PDB file of all heavy atoms in Angstrom:
ATOM      1  N   GLY A   1     115.954  82.671 159.643  1.00  0.00           N
ATOM      2  CA  GLY A   1     116.584  82.845 161.019  1.00  0.00           C
ATOM      3  C   GLY A   1     117.662  81.852 161.219  1.00  0.00           C
ATOM      4  O   GLY A   1     118.555  81.710 160.436  1.00  0.00           O
ATOM      5  N   LEU A   2     117.726  81.313 162.474  1.00  0.00           N
ATOM      6  CA  LEU A   2     118.808  80.602 163.009  1.00  0.00           C
ATOM      7  C   LEU A   2     118.992  79.328 161.941  1.00  0.00           C
ATOM      8  O   LEU A   2     118.025  78.710 161.609  1.00  0.00           O
ATOM      9  CB  LEU A   2     118.572  80.162 164.443  1.00  0.00           C
ATOM     10  CG  LEU A   2     118.535  81.225 165.500  1.00  0.00           C
ATOM     11  CD1 LEU A   2     118.134  80.736 166.798  1.00  0.00           C
ATOM     12  CD2 LEU A   2     119.916  81.986 165.470  1.00  0.00           C
ATOM     13  N   SER A   3     120.216  79.028 161.857  1.00  0.00           N
ATOM     14  CA  SER A   3     120.657  77.695 161.230  1.00  0.00           C
ATOM     15  C   SER A   3     120.207  77.679 159.815  1.00  0.00           C
ATOM     16  O   SER A   3     120.163  76.471 159.173  1.00  0.00           O
ATOM     17  CB  SER A   3     120.258  76.498 162.195  1.00  0.00           C
ATOM     18  OG  SER A   3     120.687  76.603 163.391  1.00  0.00           O
ATOM     19  N   ALA A   4     119.766  78.752 159.228  1.00  0.00           N
ATOM     20  CA  ALA A   4     119.239  78.564 157.894  1.00  0.00           C
ATOM     21  C   ALA A   4     120.060  78.328 156.695  1.00  0.00           C
ATOM     22  O   ALA A   4     119.828  77.947 155.667  1.00  0.00           O
ATOM     23  CB  ALA A   4     118.423  79.951 157.579  1.00  0.00           C
ATOM     24  N   ALA A   5     121.478  78.379 157.026  1.00  0.00           N
ATOM     25  CA  ALA A   5     122.477  78.361 156.026  1.00  0.00           C
ATOM     26  C   ALA A   5     122.893  76.917 155.948  1.00  0.00           C
ATOM     27  O   ALA A   5     123.862  76.626 155.228  1.00  0.00           O
ATOM     28  CB  ALA A   5     123.624  79.275 156.259  1.00  0.00           C
ATOM     29  N   ALA A   6     122.307  75.928 156.678  1.00  0.00           N
ATOM     30  CA  ALA A   6     122.683  74.582 156.591  1.00  0.00           C
ATOM     31  C   ALA A   6     121.621  73.713 155.989  1.00  0.00           C
ATOM     32  O   ALA A   6     120.494  73.790 156.344  1.00  0.00           O
ATOM     33  CB  ALA A   6     122.962  74.035 157.975  1.00  0.00           C
ATOM     34  N   ALA A   7     121.954  73.088 154.766  1.00  0.00           N
ATOM     35  CA  ALA A   7     121.085  72.244 153.996  1.00  0.00           C
ATOM     36  C   ALA A   7     120.750  71.047 154.889  1.00  0.00           C
ATOM     37  O   ALA A   7     121.709  70.512 155.515  1.00  0.00           O
ATOM     38  CB  ALA A   7     121.601  71.835 152.622  1.00  0.00           C
ATOM     39  N   PRO A   8     119.602  70.468 154.868  1.00  0.00           N
ATOM     40  CA  PRO A   8     119.233  69.346 155.648  1.00  0.00           C
ATOM     41  C   PRO A   8     119.747  68.048 154.948  1.00  0.00           C
ATOM     42  O   PRO A   8     120.129  68.019 153.852  1.00  0.00           O
ATOM     43  CB  PRO A   8     117.613  69.272 155.620  1.00  0.00           C
ATOM     44  CG  PRO A   8     117.327  69.926 154.204  1.00  0.00           C
ATOM     45  CD  PRO A   8     118.335  71.081 154.062  1.00  0.00           C
ATOM     46  N   PRO A   9     119.825  66.989 155.614  1.00  0.00           N
ATOM     47  CA  PRO A   9     120.190  65.669 155.270  1.00  0.00           C
ATOM     48  C   PRO A   9     119.241  65.084 154.103  1.00  0.00           C
ATOM     49  O   PRO A   9     118.165  65.702 153.866  1.00  0.00           O
ATOM     50  CB  PRO A   9     120.170  64.577 156.496  1.00  0.00           C
ATOM     51  CG  PRO A   9     120.069  65.629 157.679  1.00  0.00           C
ATOM     52  CD  PRO A   9     119.288  66.904 157.166  1.00  0.00           C
ATOM     53  N   GLU A  10     119.767  64.025 153.517  1.00  0.00           N
ATOM     54  CA  GLU A  10     118.911  63.335 152.456  1.00  0.00           C
ATOM     55  C   GLU A  10     117.561  63.060 152.962  1.00  0.00           C
ATOM     56  O   GLU A  10     117.182  62.701 153.979  1.00  0.00           O
ATOM     57  CB  GLU A  10     119.534  62.052 152.133  1.00  0.00           C
ATOM     58  CG  GLU A  10     118.820  61.232 150.977  1.00  0.00           C
ATOM     59  CD  GLU A  10     119.396  59.918 150.640  1.00  0.00           C
ATOM     60  OE1 GLU A  10     120.484  59.634 151.116  1.00  0.00           O
ATOM     61  OE2 GLU A  10     118.800  59.201 149.874  1.00  0.00           O
ATOM     62  N   GLY A  11     116.517  63.366 152.121  1.00  0.00           N
ATOM     63  CA  GLY A  11     115.163  63.114 152.404  1.00  0.00           C
ATOM     64  C   GLY A  11     114.278  64.250 151.735  1.00  0.00           C
ATOM     65  O   GLY A  11     114.718  65.124 151.143  1.00  0.00           O
ATOM     66  N   LEU A  12     112.960  63.975 152.039  1.00  0.00           N
ATOM     67  CA  LEU A  12     111.910  64.917 151.483  1.00  0.00           C
ATOM     68  C   LEU A  12     111.299  65.622 152.811  1.00  0.00           C
ATOM     69  O   LEU A  12     110.963  64.972 153.707  1.00  0.00           O
ATOM     70  CB  LEU A  12     110.824  64.208 150.821  1.00  0.00           C
ATOM     71  CG  LEU A  12     109.497  64.946 150.319  1.00  0.00           C
ATOM     72  CD1 LEU A  12     110.072  65.923 149.224  1.00  0.00           C
ATOM     73  CD2 LEU A  12     108.473  64.037 149.735  1.00  0.00           C
ATOM     74  N   TYR A  13     111.228  66.951 152.566  1.00  0.00           N
ATOM     75  CA  TYR A  13     110.768  67.770 153.773  1.00  0.00           C
ATOM     76  C   TYR A  13     109.614  68.728 153.315  1.00  0.00           C
ATOM     77  O   TYR A  13     109.660  69.252 152.179  1.00  0.00           O
ATOM     78  CB  TYR A  13     111.934  68.697 154.168  1.00  0.00           C
ATOM     79  CG  TYR A  13     113.123  67.812 154.745  1.00  0.00           C
ATOM     80  CD1 TYR A  13     114.073  67.464 153.984  1.00  0.00           C
ATOM     81  CD2 TYR A  13     113.317  67.684 156.013  1.00  0.00           C
ATOM     82  CE1 TYR A  13     115.170  66.665 154.214  1.00  0.00           C
ATOM     83  CE2 TYR A  13     114.388  66.944 156.578  1.00  0.00           C
ATOM     84  CZ  TYR A  13     115.351  66.466 155.668  1.00  0.00           C
ATOM     85  OH  TYR A  13     116.377  65.780 156.060  1.00  0.00           O
ATOM     86  N   TYR A  14     108.696  68.936 154.240  1.00  0.00           N
ATOM     87  CA  TYR A  14     107.723  69.939 154.067  1.00  0.00           C
ATOM     88  C   TYR A  14     108.024  71.143 155.141  1.00  0.00           C
ATOM     89  O   TYR A  14     108.102  70.710 156.380  1.00  0.00           O
ATOM     90  CB  TYR A  14     106.374  69.382 154.263  1.00  0.00           C
ATOM     91  CG  TYR A  14     105.181  70.480 154.477  1.00  0.00           C
ATOM     92  CD1 TYR A  14     104.870  71.349 153.299  1.00  0.00           C
ATOM     93  CD2 TYR A  14     104.619  70.722 155.716  1.00  0.00           C
ATOM     94  CE1 TYR A  14     103.898  72.309 153.547  1.00  0.00           C
ATOM     95  CE2 TYR A  14     103.639  71.715 155.829  1.00  0.00           C
ATOM     96  CZ  TYR A  14     103.347  72.462 154.699  1.00  0.00           C
ATOM     97  OH  TYR A  14     102.414  73.505 154.947  1.00  0.00           O
ATOM     98  N   ARG A  15     108.020  72.240 154.810  1.00  0.00           N
ATOM     99  CA  ARG A  15     108.144  73.426 155.657  1.00  0.00           C
ATOM    100  C   ARG A  15     106.968  74.437 155.506  1.00  0.00           C
ATOM    101  O   ARG A  15     106.750  74.888 154.237  1.00  0.00           O
ATOM    102  CB  ARG A  15     109.583  74.064 155.465  1.00  0.00           C
ATOM    103  CG  ARG A  15     109.862  75.194 156.441  1.00  0.00           C
ATOM    104  CD  ARG A  15     111.373  75.673 156.367  1.00  0.00           C
ATOM    105  NE  ARG A  15     112.180  74.566 156.932  1.00  0.00           N
ATOM    106  CZ  ARG A  15     113.544  74.662 156.913  1.00  0.00           C
ATOM    107  NH1 ARG A  15     114.121  75.697 156.280  1.00  0.00           N
ATOM    108  NH2 ARG A  15     114.166  73.663 157.578  1.00  0.00           N
ATOM    109  N   ALA A  16     106.427  74.806 156.529  1.00  0.00           N
ATOM    110  CA  ALA A  16     105.349  75.824 156.492  1.00  0.00           C
ATOM    111  C   ALA A  16     105.856  77.132 157.300  1.00  0.00           C
ATOM    112  O   ALA A  16     106.424  77.028 158.364  1.00  0.00           O
ATOM    113  CB  ALA A  16     104.051  75.296 157.086  1.00  0.00           C
ATOM    114  N   TYR A  17     105.690  78.200 156.608  1.00  0.00           N
ATOM    115  CA  TYR A  17     105.932  79.559 157.189  1.00  0.00           C
ATOM    116  C   TYR A  17     104.723  80.279 157.451  1.00  0.00           C
ATOM    117  O   TYR A  17     103.975  80.483 156.544  1.00  0.00           O
ATOM    118  CB  TYR A  17     106.907  80.428 156.255  1.00  0.00           C
ATOM    119  CG  TYR A  17     108.260  79.700 155.942  1.00  0.00           C
ATOM    120  CD1 TYR A  17     108.236  78.911 154.778  1.00  0.00           C
ATOM    121  CD2 TYR A  17     109.400  79.830 156.583  1.00  0.00           C
ATOM    122  CE1 TYR A  17     109.398  78.345 154.250  1.00  0.00           C
ATOM    123  CE2 TYR A  17     110.657  79.300 156.198  1.00  0.00           C
ATOM    124  CZ  TYR A  17     110.674  78.500 155.035  1.00  0.00           C
ATOM    125  OH  TYR A  17     111.825  77.943 154.570  1.00  0.00           O
ATOM    126  N   LEU A  18     104.400  80.636 158.650  1.00  0.00           N
ATOM    127  CA  LEU A  18     103.250  81.637 158.934  1.00  0.00           C
ATOM    128  C   LEU A  18     103.905  82.759 159.505  1.00  0.00           C
ATOM    129  O   LEU A  18     104.483  82.770 160.615  1.00  0.00           O
ATOM    130  CB  LEU A  18     102.427  80.864 160.015  1.00  0.00           C
ATOM    131  CG  LEU A  18     101.150  81.632 160.457  1.00  0.00           C
ATOM    132  CD1 LEU A  18     100.273  81.993 159.226  1.00  0.00           C
ATOM    133  CD2 LEU A  18     100.362  80.903 161.528  1.00  0.00           C
ATOM    134  N   MET A  19     103.449  83.966 158.782  1.00  0.00           N
ATOM    135  CA  MET A  19     104.020  85.321 159.200  1.00  0.00           C
ATOM    136  C   MET A  19     103.047  86.318 159.362  1.00  0.00           C
ATOM    137  O   MET A  19     102.063  86.345 158.368  1.00  0.00           O
ATOM    138  CB  MET A  19     105.105  85.746 158.301  1.00  0.00           C
ATOM    139  CG  MET A  19     105.782  87.167 158.620  1.00  0.00           C
ATOM    140  SD  MET A  19     107.194  87.549 157.625  1.00  0.00           S
ATOM    141  CE  MET A  19     108.509  86.779 158.581  1.00  0.00           C
ATOM    142  N   ARG A  20     102.951  87.136 160.385  1.00  0.00           N
ATOM    143  CA  ARG A  20     102.164  88.201 160.448  1.00  0.00           C
ATOM    144  C   ARG A  20     103.115  89.404 160.555  1.00  0.00           C
ATOM    145  O   ARG A  20     103.996  89.605 161.454  1.00  0.00           O
ATOM    146  CB  ARG A  20     101.339  88.057 161.837  1.00  0.00           C
ATOM    147  CG  ARG A  20     100.707  89.394 162.226  1.00  0.00           C
ATOM    148  CD  ARG A  20      99.495  89.735 161.610  1.00  0.00           C
ATOM    149  NE  ARG A  20      98.813  90.941 162.105  1.00  0.00           N
ATOM    150  CZ  ARG A  20      97.588  91.392 161.729  1.00  0.00           C
ATOM    151  NH1 ARG A  20      96.857  90.516 161.010  1.00  0.00           N
ATOM    152  NH2 ARG A  20      97.056  92.484 162.287  1.00  0.00           N
ATOM    153  N   TYR A  21     102.869  90.492 159.589  1.00  0.00           N
ATOM    154  CA  TYR A  21     103.541  91.680 159.529  1.00  0.00           C
ATOM    155  C   TYR A  21     102.614  92.911 159.800  1.00  0.00           C
ATOM    156  O   TYR A  21     101.646  92.987 159.062  1.00  0.00           O
ATOM    157  CB  TYR A  21     104.262  91.656 158.184  1.00  0.00           C
ATOM    158  CG  TYR A  21     105.110  92.945 157.845  1.00  0.00           C
ATOM    159  CD1 TYR A  21     106.095  93.371 158.874  1.00  0.00           C
ATOM    160  CD2 TYR A  21     104.839  93.687 156.723  1.00  0.00           C
ATOM    161  CE1 TYR A  21     106.843  94.467 158.583  1.00  0.00           C
ATOM    162  CE2 TYR A  21     105.645  94.746 156.517  1.00  0.00           C
ATOM    163  CZ  TYR A  21     106.592  95.265 157.423  1.00  0.00           C
ATOM    164  OH  TYR A  21     107.410  96.361 157.090  1.00  0.00           O
ATOM    165  N   ASP A  22     102.823  93.622 160.878  1.00  0.00           N
ATOM    166  CA  ASP A  22     101.979  94.808 161.125  1.00  0.00           C
ATOM    167  C   ASP A  22     102.774  95.992 160.706  1.00  0.00           C
ATOM    168  O   ASP A  22     103.934  96.222 161.277  1.00  0.00           O
ATOM    169  CB  ASP A  22     101.750  94.812 162.590  1.00  0.00           C
ATOM    170  CG  ASP A  22     100.751  93.709 163.047  1.00  0.00           C
ATOM    171  OD1 ASP A  22      99.696  93.758 162.385  1.00  0.00           O
ATOM    172  OD2 ASP A  22     101.146  93.083 163.999  1.00  0.00           O
ATOM    173  N   ILE A  23     102.377  96.849 159.807  1.00  0.00           N
ATOM    174  CA  ILE A  23     102.926  98.078 159.353  1.00  0.00           C
ATOM    175  C   ILE A  23     102.588  99.148 160.224  1.00  0.00           C
ATOM    176  O   ILE A  23     101.409  99.509 160.322  1.00  0.00           O
ATOM    177  CB  ILE A  23     102.540  98.204 157.823  1.00  0.00           C
ATOM    178  CG1 ILE A  23     102.782  97.033 157.054  1.00  0.00           C
ATOM    179  CG2 ILE A  23     103.178  99.530 157.273  1.00  0.00           C
ATOM    180  CD1 ILE A  23     102.223  97.055 155.719  1.00  0.00           C
ATOM    181  N   ASP A  24     103.617  99.879 160.687  1.00  0.00           N
ATOM    182  CA  ASP A  24     103.392 101.070 161.537  1.00  0.00           C
ATOM    183  C   ASP A  24     103.379 102.358 160.689  1.00  0.00           C
ATOM    184  O   ASP A  24     102.691 103.383 160.928  1.00  0.00           O
ATOM    185  CB  ASP A  24     104.541 101.204 162.593  1.00  0.00           C
ATOM    186  CG  ASP A  24     104.433 100.008 163.538  1.00  0.00           C
ATOM    187  OD1 ASP A  24     103.414  99.515 163.817  1.00  0.00           O
ATOM    188  OD2 ASP A  24     105.635  99.634 163.884  1.00  0.00           O
ATOM    189  N   SER A  25     104.173 102.351 159.555  1.00  0.00           N
ATOM    190  CA  SER A  25     104.290 103.562 158.709  1.00  0.00           C
ATOM    191  C   SER A  25     104.896 103.191 157.439  1.00  0.00           C
ATOM    192  O   SER A  25     105.382 102.058 157.174  1.00  0.00           O
ATOM    193  CB  SER A  25     105.211 104.642 159.483  1.00  0.00           C
ATOM    194  OG  SER A  25     106.452 104.195 159.591  1.00  0.00           O
ATOM    195  N   PHE A  26     104.916 104.207 156.523  1.00  0.00           N
ATOM    196  CA  PHE A  26     105.718 103.992 155.244  1.00  0.00           C
ATOM    197  C   PHE A  26     106.642 105.156 155.254  1.00  0.00           C
ATOM    198  O   PHE A  26     106.357 106.330 155.401  1.00  0.00           O
ATOM    199  CB  PHE A  26     104.724 104.145 154.011  1.00  0.00           C
ATOM    200  CG  PHE A  26     103.889 102.888 153.921  1.00  0.00           C
ATOM    201  CD1 PHE A  26     102.618 102.641 154.478  1.00  0.00           C
ATOM    202  CD2 PHE A  26     104.319 101.869 152.960  1.00  0.00           C
ATOM    203  CE1 PHE A  26     101.873 101.461 154.239  1.00  0.00           C
ATOM    204  CE2 PHE A  26     103.624 100.598 152.862  1.00  0.00           C
ATOM    205  CZ  PHE A  26     102.434 100.522 153.460  1.00  0.00           C
ATOM    206  N   GLN A  27     107.907 104.829 154.716  1.00  0.00           N
ATOM    207  CA  GLN A  27     109.042 105.657 154.836  1.00  0.00           C
ATOM    208  C   GLN A  27     109.392 106.119 153.369  1.00  0.00           C
ATOM    209  O   GLN A  27     109.269 105.322 152.519  1.00  0.00           O
ATOM    210  CB  GLN A  27     110.284 105.133 155.491  1.00  0.00           C
ATOM    211  CG  GLN A  27     110.071 104.478 156.757  1.00  0.00           C
ATOM    212  CD  GLN A  27     109.473 105.372 157.862  1.00  0.00           C
ATOM    213  OE1 GLN A  27     108.234 105.196 158.252  1.00  0.00           O
ATOM    214  NE2 GLN A  27     110.308 106.322 158.237  1.00  0.00           N
ATOM    215  N   ASP A  28     109.854 107.486 153.267  1.00  0.00           N
ATOM    216  CA  ASP A  28     110.287 108.037 151.907  1.00  0.00           C
ATOM    217  C   ASP A  28     111.679 107.577 151.754  1.00  0.00           C
ATOM    218  O   ASP A  28     112.448 106.953 152.571  1.00  0.00           O
ATOM    219  CB  ASP A  28     110.036 109.430 151.746  1.00  0.00           C
ATOM    220  CG  ASP A  28     110.760 110.264 152.749  1.00  0.00           C
ATOM    221  OD1 ASP A  28     111.651 109.759 153.413  1.00  0.00           O
ATOM    222  OD2 ASP A  28     110.565 111.444 152.713  1.00  0.00           O
ATOM    223  N   ALA A  29     112.339 108.167 150.591  1.00  0.00           N
ATOM    224  CA  ALA A  29     113.646 107.819 150.315  1.00  0.00           C
ATOM    225  C   ALA A  29     114.777 108.406 151.331  1.00  0.00           C
ATOM    226  O   ALA A  29     115.813 107.887 151.415  1.00  0.00           O
ATOM    227  CB  ALA A  29     114.115 108.392 148.892  1.00  0.00           C
ATOM    228  N   LYS A  30     114.360 109.400 152.166  1.00  0.00           N
ATOM    229  CA  LYS A  30     115.162 109.795 153.163  1.00  0.00           C
ATOM    230  C   LYS A  30     114.945 109.217 154.629  1.00  0.00           C
ATOM    231  O   LYS A  30     115.526 109.661 155.629  1.00  0.00           O
ATOM    232  CB  LYS A  30     115.110 111.309 153.255  1.00  0.00           C
ATOM    233  CG  LYS A  30     115.563 112.073 152.062  1.00  0.00           C
ATOM    234  CD  LYS A  30     115.452 113.521 152.194  1.00  0.00           C
ATOM    235  CE  LYS A  30     116.036 114.318 151.014  1.00  0.00           C
ATOM    236  NZ  LYS A  30     115.988 115.873 151.063  1.00  0.00           N
ATOM    237  N   GLY A  31     113.927 108.165 154.592  1.00  0.00           N
ATOM    238  CA  GLY A  31     113.662 107.569 155.873  1.00  0.00           C
ATOM    239  C   GLY A  31     112.608 108.324 156.620  1.00  0.00           C
ATOM    240  O   GLY A  31     112.483 108.121 157.973  1.00  0.00           O
ATOM    241  N   ASN A  32     111.949 109.414 156.146  1.00  0.00           N
ATOM    242  CA  ASN A  32     110.945 110.058 156.767  1.00  0.00           C
ATOM    243  C   ASN A  32     109.563 109.423 156.596  1.00  0.00           C
ATOM    244  O   ASN A  32     109.282 108.992 155.496  1.00  0.00           O
ATOM    245  CB  ASN A  32     110.894 111.545 156.329  1.00  0.00           C
ATOM    246  CG  ASN A  32     112.151 112.249 156.518  1.00  0.00           C
ATOM    247  OD1 ASN A  32     112.734 112.215 157.623  1.00  0.00           O
ATOM    248  ND2 ASN A  32     112.690 112.997 155.533  1.00  0.00           N
ATOM    249  N   ALA A  33     108.747 109.410 157.628  1.00  0.00           N
ATOM    250  CA  ALA A  33     107.450 108.781 157.498  1.00  0.00           C
ATOM    251  C   ALA A  33     106.471 109.681 156.696  1.00  0.00           C
ATOM    252  O   ALA A  33     106.554 110.868 156.730  1.00  0.00           O
ATOM    253  CB  ALA A  33     106.897 108.569 158.871  1.00  0.00           C
ATOM    254  N   ALA A  34     105.756 109.003 155.742  1.00  0.00           N
ATOM    255  CA  ALA A  34     104.680 109.718 155.056  1.00  0.00           C
ATOM    256  C   ALA A  34     103.614 110.376 156.040  1.00  0.00           C
ATOM    257  O   ALA A  34     103.459 109.780 157.073  1.00  0.00           O
ATOM    258  CB  ALA A  34     103.955 108.823 154.094  1.00  0.00           C
ATOM    259  N   PRO A  35     103.156 111.453 155.750  1.00  0.00           N
ATOM    260  CA  PRO A  35     102.096 112.261 156.589  1.00  0.00           C
ATOM    261  C   PRO A  35     100.862 111.301 156.864  1.00  0.00           C
ATOM    262  O   PRO A  35     100.394 110.606 156.001  1.00  0.00           O
ATOM    263  CB  PRO A  35     101.926 113.360 156.017  1.00  0.00           C
ATOM    264  CG  PRO A  35     102.133 113.322 154.489  1.00  0.00           C
ATOM    265  CD  PRO A  35     103.269 112.238 154.429  1.00  0.00           C
ATOM    266  N   GLY A  36     100.319 111.608 158.085  1.00  0.00           N
ATOM    267  CA  GLY A  36      99.034 110.918 158.174  1.00  0.00           C
ATOM    268  C   GLY A  36      99.244 109.483 158.870  1.00  0.00           C
ATOM    269  O   GLY A  36     100.397 109.163 159.166  1.00  0.00           O
ATOM    270  N   SER A  37      98.176 108.684 159.109  1.00  0.00           N
ATOM    271  CA  SER A  37      98.244 107.369 159.462  1.00  0.00           C
ATOM    272  C   SER A  37      98.210 106.373 158.212  1.00  0.00           C
ATOM    273  O   SER A  37      97.155 106.375 157.676  1.00  0.00           O
ATOM    274  CB  SER A  37      97.024 107.183 160.470  1.00  0.00           C
ATOM    275  OG  SER A  37      96.943 105.814 160.910  1.00  0.00           O
ATOM    276  N   ASN A  38      99.366 105.743 158.007  1.00  0.00           N
ATOM    277  CA  ASN A  38      99.406 104.803 156.973  1.00  0.00           C
ATOM    278  C   ASN A  38      99.933 103.473 157.545  1.00  0.00           C
ATOM    279  O   ASN A  38     101.076 103.317 157.848  1.00  0.00           O
ATOM    280  CB  ASN A  38     100.401 105.333 155.964  1.00  0.00           C
ATOM    281  CG  ASN A  38     100.055 106.707 155.365  1.00  0.00           C
ATOM    282  OD1 ASN A  38      99.165 106.799 154.501  1.00  0.00           O
ATOM    283  ND2 ASN A  38     100.744 107.744 155.944  1.00  0.00           N
ATOM    284  N   THR A  39      98.945 102.617 157.816  1.00  0.00           N
ATOM    285  CA  THR A  39      99.192 101.348 158.385  1.00  0.00           C
ATOM    286  C   THR A  39      98.754 100.204 157.533  1.00  0.00           C
ATOM    287  O   THR A  39      98.111 100.362 156.509  1.00  0.00           O
ATOM    288  CB  THR A  39      98.505 101.225 159.746  1.00  0.00           C
ATOM    289  OG1 THR A  39      97.061 101.344 159.658  1.00  0.00           O
ATOM    290  CG2 THR A  39      99.008 102.410 160.605  1.00  0.00           C
ATOM    291  N   GLY A  40      98.855  98.957 157.928  1.00  0.00           N
ATOM    292  CA  GLY A  40      98.484  97.784 157.318  1.00  0.00           C
ATOM    293  C   GLY A  40      98.826  96.618 158.101  1.00  0.00           C
ATOM    294  O   GLY A  40      99.507  96.520 158.977  1.00  0.00           O
ATOM    295  N   SER A  41      98.547  95.470 157.377  1.00  0.00           N
ATOM    296  CA  SER A  41      98.978  94.151 157.969  1.00  0.00           C
ATOM    297  C   SER A  41      99.088  93.148 156.731  1.00  0.00           C
ATOM    298  O   SER A  41      98.435  93.344 155.669  1.00  0.00           O
ATOM    299  CB  SER A  41      97.960  93.568 158.931  1.00  0.00           C
ATOM    300  OG  SER A  41      96.707  93.294 158.344  1.00  0.00           O
ATOM    301  N   VAL A  42      99.953  92.254 156.887  1.00  0.00           N
ATOM    302  CA  VAL A  42     100.149  91.271 155.947  1.00  0.00           C
ATOM    303  C   VAL A  42     100.173  89.866 156.630  1.00  0.00           C
ATOM    304  O   VAL A  42     100.956  89.725 157.593  1.00  0.00           O
ATOM    305  CB  VAL A  42     101.405  91.268 155.011  1.00  0.00           C
ATOM    306  CG1 VAL A  42     101.580  90.225 154.154  1.00  0.00           C
ATOM    307  CG2 VAL A  42     101.461  92.746 154.435  1.00  0.00           C
TER     308      VAL A  42
END
């Protein structure tokens, strides 16, 4: 996201990323949704 292209100053850093991804559908090569309900979460 924001400001990600700037390296931090000298030192040791710990960074934790917590992400929730809710899947609404799966698309084919033409961008069409696969039939039925195809959902999930990560």
Side-chain angles (χ1 to χ4, degrees):
L2 295 175
S3 307
E10 177 184 353
L12 180 63
Y13 300 83
Y14 166 72
R15 180 170 290 175
Y17 305 88
L18 180 62
M19 177 170 278
R20 165 78 179 194
Y21 179 53
D22 290 308
I23 302 169
D24 298 325
S25 62
F26 285 88
Q27 314 298 112
D28 68 7
K30 294 184 178 180
N32 300 314
S37 175
N38 301 284
T39 61
S41 65
V42 181

